[in-house]
C-alpha cells in the first residue's frame, strides 16, 4: 500500500492516457509496467514468476469463463489480463493474480496521477 | 483344492484390514448367457450363435496370446475351477485379503461390443451373475461395482439406479479402454449423474482386450502382447484422466468420486505436472476448471496400486514415488488372479519404515474403507 511505499515519478500521464496504453519503466532498478485499464492505472513488475519472462511485454487480453448456462464459453475481462509472451500464463492486471491460480501472483503496485505525472507507489 | 497358504510368512500383522481394490473374476460368455434377462432372449440367441463371441460380439484381439507363460484368464495355479467364489475366497485366504472389490475380465472389453443392445444386455447379465454368485452370500467381504455399458449412458443410468441399493454394490465400473468419445465428453453425463445421485464412486479399469480398433491403438502395430500390455494401461489412464479433467467433469459433478485402476502409481506425478502446466499455459481452453488439475486429483481421485512394476533394484524408490503421488490417494490392489498380480507384501514391505504407520494403513485398507463405504 502507499503507506511506507516510496513515490516514483515514472512517466507523463499522456503516455498512458487511453485504456490499453502501457509503459515499461525502471523503478529503483526493477522494470515495472504501468497499464491503463478502463481509465485506471495499475502497475506490475515486468517479471513472470513462472520462468522469469518479461511478463508485461505480452498481449493485453481477456480470459475465458463458463457462462451461467453451464454451456457457453464467454470471453470476459477484455483488456484487464496480461498474457505472458513466453508461456501464455495470464495475470489480472488489476490484482496481480494469475487468473487460474490465485496462489501464483506478482505484486500489484498502486499508481497515482499527480499533476501531469504518473507516480508508482512501491 | 490345494492349500497353498500353509507356512507362508506374513508381515502384515500391523495392518488391521487389507482391502483388495481391484480383484478380478474370470467370467465366461456362457456364464453371462445363463444370467441374461429373459426379455433379452433374442439377443441371447444371436450371441449363442457366435462361434467366437469374444470376436464376433466383443472385438477382443491381441497381437500375440496374452501371458504365454501363465494362465491369463484362469487362476494362479490352475488347480481349481475359475470364475467361482470358492476360487476367489481361496486367493483371499492365501494372500491375506480381508475384502475384495471385484472387477470383470472379459467385461473390461465391454466397450468393444459393437451392438449397443448386446452391450447393455451383457452388462445386466454380468451384474446379475456377480451379485448372485459372489456377493449375495451375506458374508460382506466380497463387493462389486455395477458394470455399465459406456455405449449407452442413458441405459447405464438405469442399470445404476436399479442396482445401487443392493448390499455389496460399492461403485460403478466403466471399462475404460477404447472409450469413444473419451470420458470427459458430455455424452456420459447421464451415467455420471446417476452415480453421483446414488453416492457411488465411478471406477475406470483399462483392459488389453479392448485395444483392437481404437485408442490406444496398440494391437494393430504391436508385434507382441508384451508391447501392447505394457502401455495400454498407463496410456488409457493418462488419456482418460486428461479428458475428464480438462472437460471439467469434477466441476460438473461436484459430489462425484473417481477411482482409476490397473495403471500403477509412477505415471501419476508426471501427469499431474503435465496437466497443471497445460492448465496454466492454455487457460482459455479449460474455463470449466477452477483450480489446478492436481488439486482435483488430490481431493477427489483415488488410484489402485497394481501394477507397481519391478522395483527391486531400488526398493526405497517405490516409497519415494508414493510420497510424490500422495499416499492418501492410493489404495492397495492385487489384480488376482491375473498373472501380473501384486501380493500385498510387494507394496507393504516397500513402504513400511518409509511412510508413517497411518499412511501405510490408509494405503493397505483404510482409505478404501472410506471410498467404498465398507465400515
Amino acid at each position: 500500500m502507499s503507506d511506507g511505499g516510496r513515490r516514483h515519478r515514472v512517466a507523463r500521464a499522456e503516455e498512458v492516457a487511453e485504456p490499453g496504453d502501457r509503459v515499461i519503466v525502471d523503478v529503483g532498478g526493477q522494470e515495472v509496467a504501468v497499464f491503463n485499464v478502463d481509465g485506471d492505472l495499475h502497475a506490475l513488475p515486468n517479471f513472470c514468476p513462472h520462468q522469469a519472462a518479461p511478463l508485461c511485454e505480452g498481449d493485453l487480453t481477456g480470459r475465458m469463463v463458463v457462462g451461467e448456462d453451464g454451456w457457453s464459453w464467454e470471453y470476459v475481462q477484455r483488456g484487464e489480463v496480461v498474457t505472458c509472451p513466453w508461456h501464455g500464463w495470464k495475470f489480472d492486471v488489476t490484482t496481480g493474480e494469475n487468473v487460474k491460480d490465485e496462489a501464483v501472483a506478482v505484486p500489484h503496485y498502486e499508481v497515482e496521477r499527480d499533476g501531469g505525472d504518473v507516480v508508482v507507489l512501491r | 483344492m490345494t492349500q497353498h497358504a500353509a507356512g507362508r510368512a506374513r508381515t502384515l500383522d500391523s495392518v488391521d484390514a487389507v482391502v483388495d481394490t481391484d480383484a478380478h473374476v474370470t467370467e465366461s460368455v456362457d456364464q453371462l448367457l445363463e444370467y441374461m434377462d429373459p426379455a433379452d432372449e433374442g439377443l441371447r440367441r444371436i450371441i449363442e450363435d457366435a462361434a467366437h463371441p469374444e470376436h464376433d460380439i466383443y472385438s477382443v484381439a491381441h497381437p500375440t496370446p496374452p501371458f504365454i507363460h501363465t494362465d491369463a484368464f484362469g487362476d494362479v495355479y490352475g488347480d481349481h475351477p475359475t470364475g467361482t467364489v470358492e476360487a476367489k475366497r481361496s486367493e483371499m485366504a492365501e494372500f491375506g485379503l480381508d475384502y475384495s472389490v471385484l472387477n470383470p475380465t472379459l467385461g473390461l472389453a465391454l466397450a468393444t461390443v459393437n451392438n449397443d443392445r448386446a452391450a447393455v444386455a451383457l452388462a445386466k447379465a454380468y451384474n446379475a451373475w456377480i451379485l448372485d454368485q459372489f456377493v449375495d452370500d451375506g458374508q460382506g467381504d466380497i463387493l462389486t461395482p455395477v458394470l455399465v455399458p459406456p455405449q449407452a449412458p442413458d441405459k447405464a443410468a438405469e442399470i445404476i439406479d436399479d442396482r445401487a441399493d443392493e448390499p455389496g454394490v460399492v461403485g460403478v465400473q466403466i471399462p475404460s479402454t477404447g472409450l469413444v468419445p473419451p470420458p470427459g465428453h458430455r455424452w456420459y453425463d447421464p451415467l455420471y449423474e446417476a452415480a453421483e445421485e446414488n453416492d457411488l464412486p465411478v471406477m475406470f479399469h483399462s483392459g488389453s482386450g479392448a485395444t483392437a480398433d481404437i485408442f490406444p491403438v496398440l494391437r494393430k502395430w504391436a508385434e507382441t502382447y508384451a508391447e501392447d500390455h505394457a502401455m495400454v494401461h498407463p496410456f488409457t489412464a493418462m488419456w482418460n484422466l486428461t479428458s475428464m479433467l480438462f472437460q471439467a467433469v469434477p466441476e460438473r459433478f461436484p459430489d462425484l468420486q473417481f477411482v482409476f485402476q490397473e495403471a500403477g502409481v509412477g505415471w501419476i506425478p508426471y501427469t499431474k505436472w503435465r496437466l497443471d502446466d497445460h492448465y496454466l499455459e492454455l487457460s482459455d481452453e479449460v474455463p470449466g476448471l477452477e483450480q489446478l488439475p492436481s488439486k482435483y486429483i488430490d481431493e477427489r481421485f483415488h488410484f489402485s496400486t497394481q501394477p507397481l512394476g519391478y522395483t527391486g533394484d531400488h526398493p526405497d524408490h517405490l516409497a519415494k514415488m508414493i510420497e510424490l503421488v500422495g499416499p492418501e490417494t492410493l489404495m492397495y490392489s492385487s489384480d488376482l488372479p491375473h498373472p501380473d498380480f501384486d501380493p500385498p507384501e510387494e507394496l507393504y514391505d516397500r513402504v513400511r519404515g518409509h511412510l508413517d504407520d497411518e499412511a501405510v494403513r490408509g494405503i493397505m485398507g483404510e482409505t478404501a474403507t472410506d471410498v467404498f463405504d465398507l465400515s
Side-chain angles (χ1 to χ4, degrees):
Chain A
M1 303 304 290
S2 57
D3 292 347
R6 296 179 58 182
R7 296 172 62 84
H8 304 267
R9 290 178 189 275
V10 299
R12 298 289 296 168
E14 56 262 31
E15 294 177 71
V16 283
E18 300 296 328
D21 285 349
R22 93 182 79 170
V23 291
I24 295 176
V25 298
D26 182 288
V27 176
Q30 181 185 35
E31 285 190 5
V32 169
V34 177
F35 296 91
N36 182 322
V37 176
D38 294 331
D40 294 327
L41 300 181
H42 300 270
L44 308 180
N46 186 26
F47 179 89
C48 183
H50 176 216
Q51 293 183 3
L55 167 67
C56 295
E57 295 173 19
D59 290 339
L60 261 183
T61 65
R63 69 188 186 99
M64 201 84 83
V65 297
V66 176
E68 286 188 11
D69 60 3
W71 164 255
S72 56
W73 284 9
E74 296 176 1
Y75 200 65
V76 300
Q77 285 194 279
R78 285 179 190 77
E80 297 181 17
V81 176
V82 65
T83 299
C84 184
W86 282 9
H87 300 102
W89 288 29
K90 288 179 173 240
F91 293 81
D92 185 332
V93 174
T94 70
T95 65
E97 290 177 359
N98 186 293
V99 301
K100 297 300 282 186
D101 186 359
E102 62 186 13
V104 177
V106 295
H108 172 262
Y109 307 126
E110 289 197 19
V111 187
E112 293 177 355
R113 293 184 180 87
D114 185 356
D117 292 334
V118 172
V119 177
V120 171
L121 288 80
R122 172 177 169 272
Chain B
M1 193 173 295
T2 311
Q3 287 300 317
H4 298 281
R8 275 177 67 99
R10 309 300 305 184
T11 61
L12 280 155
D13 294 343
S14 67
V15 176
D16 291 336
V18 177
V19 181
D20 181 358
T21 62
D22 179 23
H24 285 276
V25 296
T26 51
E27 76 278 22
S28 69
V29 174
D30 285 344
Q31 286 171 313
L32 300 183
L33 290 177
E34 285 177 32
Y35 278 82
M36 200 162 267
D37 190 322
D40 292 323
E41 181 188 349
L43 290 162
R44 180 172 57 78
R45 286 171 174 270
I46 289 174
I47 297 168
E48 282 173 343
D49 266 350
H52 305 287
E54 289 85 356
H55 311 305
D56 294 336
I57 300 297
Y58 300 83
S59 299
V60 175
H62 301 104
T64 53
F67 290 119
I68 52 175
H69 304 298
T70 47
D71 181 0
F73 303 111
D75 62 274
V76 177
Y77 300 105
D79 59 359
H80 45 52
T82 64
T84 65
V85 70
E86 291 79 15
K88 182 50 66 184
R89 285 228 163 80
S90 170
E91 291 160 12
M92 292 172 70
E94 170 165 5
F95 291 98
L97 309 170
D98 298 295
Y99 294 90
S100 286
V101 179
L102 302 181
N103 275 319
T105 295
L106 179 60
L108 298 178
L110 190 60
T112 72
V113 175
N114 284 317
N115 184 288
D116 289 358
R117 289 173 179 81
V120 173
L122 287 163
K124 289 165 66 176
Y126 175 85
N127 293 325
W129 173 76
I130 197 90
L131 286 165
D132 185 51
Q133 291 289 321
F134 287 82
V135 179
D136 285 349
D137 66 4
Q139 295 196 36
D141 58 340
I142 297 183
L143 308 133
T144 187
V146 180
L147 179 66
V148 293
Q151 296 92 329
D154 53 343
K155 300 301 178 190
E158 292 176 11
I159 292 172
I160 295 166
D161 287 339
D162 187 42
R163 294 292 192 185
D165 292 335
E166 296 204 24
V169 168
V170 296
V172 173
Q173 176 58 246
I174 303 170
S176 66
T177 295
L179 294 181
V180 178
H185 197 278
R186 65 185 185 280
W187 163 269
Y188 299 101
D189 282 3
L191 193 168
Y192 294 140
E193 194 175 325
E196 186 180 50
E197 284 180 356
N198 286 289
D199 200 22
L200 293 174
V202 283
M203 301 156 65
F204 296 83
H205 193 303
S206 45
S208 62
T211 61
D213 298 314
I214 38 191
F215 184 87
V217 177
L218 295 163
R219 193 268 303 187
K220 288 247 166 96
W221 296 104
E223 297 200 41
T224 61
Y225 182 69
E227 293 156 72
D228 177 303
H229 184 263
M231 284 301 125
V232 62
H233 295 294
F235 280 10
T236 297
M238 293 166 95
W239 170 239
N240 286 350
L241 184 61
T242 301
S243 169
M244 293 172 65
L245 282 169
F246 283 2
Q247 291 302 320
V249 173
E251 281 290 339
R252 293 191 282 121
F253 299 94
D255 295 324
L256 197 53
Q257 298 280 330
F258 308 89
V259 179
F260 273 52
Q261 300 184 293
E262 188 86 23
V265 299
W267 65 281
I268 301 167
Y270 169 82
T271 307
K272 281 176 154 181
W273 285 349
R274 189 86 180 134
L275 298 185
D276 283 356
D277 173 78
H278 280 61
Y279 167 85
L280 289 164
E281 175 148 5
L282 297 167
S283 58
D284 279 357
E285 296 187 9
V286 286
L289 292 187
E290 300 288 337
Q291 59 182 1
L292 291 169
S294 61
K295 286 198 162 55
Y296 295 100
I297 293 171
D298 292 343
E299 293 167 3
R300 308 263 297 281
F301 286 72
H302 290 88
F303 305 88
S304 56
T305 55
Q306 182 276 343
L308 294 166
Y310 178 62
T311 62
D313 252 5
H314 297 280
D316 56 320
H317 284 186
L318 180 59
K320 290 176 182 171
M321 178 59 76
I322 286 173
E323 285 179 339
L324 292 180
V325 174
E328 62 284 351
T329 64
L330 297 178
M331 304 187 293
Y332 164 72
S333 62
S334 79
D335 199 45
L336 281 163
H338 293 166
D340 52 342
F341 67 92
D342 290 330
E345 291 85 351
E346 181 69 13
L347 175 61
Y348 180 78
D349 290 350
R350 300 268 195 272
V351 298
R352 66 174 174 152
H354 290 275
L355 307 177
D356 63 55
D357 288 348
E358 186 181 353
V360 173
R361 288 198 309 272
I363 296 171
M364 298 310 297
E366 289 182 2
T367 301
T369 300
D370 288 342
V371 170
F372 296 117
D373 198 17
L374 302 185
S375 54

